[in-house]
Amino acid sequence: ADYWDFIEALPDTDGPDSFGLPRNIERASQKTKSEIILKQLKSLEASGGSGGGGFDRTRWKALLGPSLDSWQRLSSNPAALDTELGDPLPDDATPVQLFVEMEYANAVKLVATVDVDVKAIRSVVYDGALVTPAILKNAGTMMTGWVPSKWEREWEGPEAPLPWLQALLKRKIALKEWRKNCLRPGKILSEPIDFGHLLHPGTFLNGVRQQTARQTGVALDALKQISCWDRRAMPSEAKVVVEVTGLLLQGCVFGKDGKLSEAA
């Protein structure tokens, strides 16, 4: 049958075009696969040198020292470990204000949890404290190049421990400023937004959507998101406008006409 001939003629692998992706996306895919393989090899090397899972203080210090020292250095910023949640929001707070309040509270809670765990590992490595099962589990995961699942369940950031810890504190410090600004009506959306300051940028966009529905009186399902590279090109009827900064392009470049085109 014709349909059988058609099925037989299909390629064994799906090309990028099938998913609406640029043809050069294969480079990014191969790079990601290579990084995963390298990380797995490093994990095998780290676990293989443990002598059956025993405790080796010198090895722990060599593998965990950079992450522990980076956390201690970055957490010296007063805003990093500050647990003050700020003044309560008004009763008529907008969805964006409520999101910022929740996001900052989550960041405070997560940083406090990670700080306790990191300090526990540090006390073993530098102060000779006893190794507990919890410390052994977290440290063992970090030494193999992965983020402890206890932390990752709360926030899926970078895969490696050091970048994950740095990214978490960066967001916690930035969100403290967001929390201050959200007490001033309209302050958050009046300035460019960096999604790199948020733990859950997708939830932020949902808050913007809800706020737009309130201000326009239009049902959520009827709203349509409009994006453009130049704020001046935004339609005048747009009631809630968010300017985003810090975005990275992959697989494309800006042409001389200011439009996107595929990278060579």
Side-chain angles (χ1 to χ4, degrees):
D2 293 340
Y3 71 86
W4 186 256
D5 293 336
F6 174 77
I7 293 175
E8 289 291 338
L10 291 174
D12 295 331
T13 58
D14 296 322
D17 294 341
S18 302
F19 305 99
L21 298 173
R23 295 179 181 177
N24 58 9
I25 197 65
E26 186 66 21
R27 300 178 188 174
S29 175
Q30 293 297 334
K31 180 181 178 181
T32 301
K33 291 178 181 178
S34 299
E35 291 175 348
I36 292 175
I37 292 174
L38 288 174
K39 184 173 292 185
Q40 291 173 340
L41 292 174
K42 290 180 180 179
S43 299
L44 292 174
E45 180 182 5
S47 60
S50 62
F55 172 62
D56 183 339
R57 194 181 309 280
T58 301
R59 177 172 169 273
W60 275 42
K61 186 175 182 179
L63 293 176
L64 299 174
S67 296
L68 300 178
D69 294 341
S70 178
W71 180 267
Q72 185 178 47
R73 183 175 63 258
L74 293 174
S75 62
S76 63
N77 186 319
L81 303 181
D82 183 17
T83 58
E84 178 61 42
L85 295 179
D87 297 331
L89 295 177
D91 295 336
D92 60 346
T94 65
V96 170
Q97 287 177 302
L98 294 173
F99 162 80
V100 174
E101 181 183 49
M102 179 183 67
E103 186 83 336
Y104 181 63
N106 289 335
V108 168
K109 180 181 178 181
L110 179 56
V111 167
T113 298
V114 173
D115 186 55
V116 170
D117 292 340
V118 170
K119 285 180 177 177
I121 297 174
R122 187 177 183 84
S123 67
V124 170
V125 174
Y126 292 105
D127 302 328
L130 295 177
V131 181
T132 66
I135 293 175
L136 186 61
K137 181 179 180 180
N138 290 332
T141 303
M142 292 176 68
M143 285 190 291
T144 57
W146 301 100
V147 177
S149 58
K150 174 184 177 182
W151 305 348
E152 199 167 30
R153 281 195 299 267
E154 302 299 324
W155 177 54
E156 295 183 7
E159 294 181 348
L162 179 55
W164 192 93
L165 292 170
Q166 293 172 337
L168 174 61
L169 283 184
K170 171 191 172 183
R171 284 160 173 77
K172 167 60 170 60
I173 294 171
L175 281 168
K176 182 174 176 61
E177 193 64 26
W178 277 56
R179 183 62 178 84
K180 292 180 181 178
N181 289 337
C182 81
L183 293 173
R184 301 164 58 185
K187 175 66 174 177
I188 293 294
L189 298 183
S190 66
E191 299 177 347
I193 299 295
D194 187 344
F195 286 159
H197 293 167
L198 303 175
L199 298 174
H200 307 97
T203 308
F204 167 77
L205 291 176
N206 190 47
V208 172
R209 186 165 171 248
Q210 294 179 16
Q211 186 162 323
T212 303
R214 286 189 184 182
Q215 293 187 15
T216 60
V218 178
L220 284 172
D221 294 340
L223 291 175
K224 180 180 179 182
Q225 180 178 306
I226 300 175
S227 302
C228 60
W229 296 109
D230 190 339
R231 190 184 185 101
R232 293 171 296 182
M234 186 64 64
S236 58
E237 61 268 21
K239 300 299 183 182
V240 179
V241 179
V242 178
E243 182 177 347
V244 181
T245 185
L247 295 179
L248 300 177
L249 295 177
Q250 185 172 9
C252 59
V253 294
F254 268 115
K256 294 182 179 179
D257 56 357
K259 297 182 179 180
L260 291 179
S261 61
E262 283 194 21

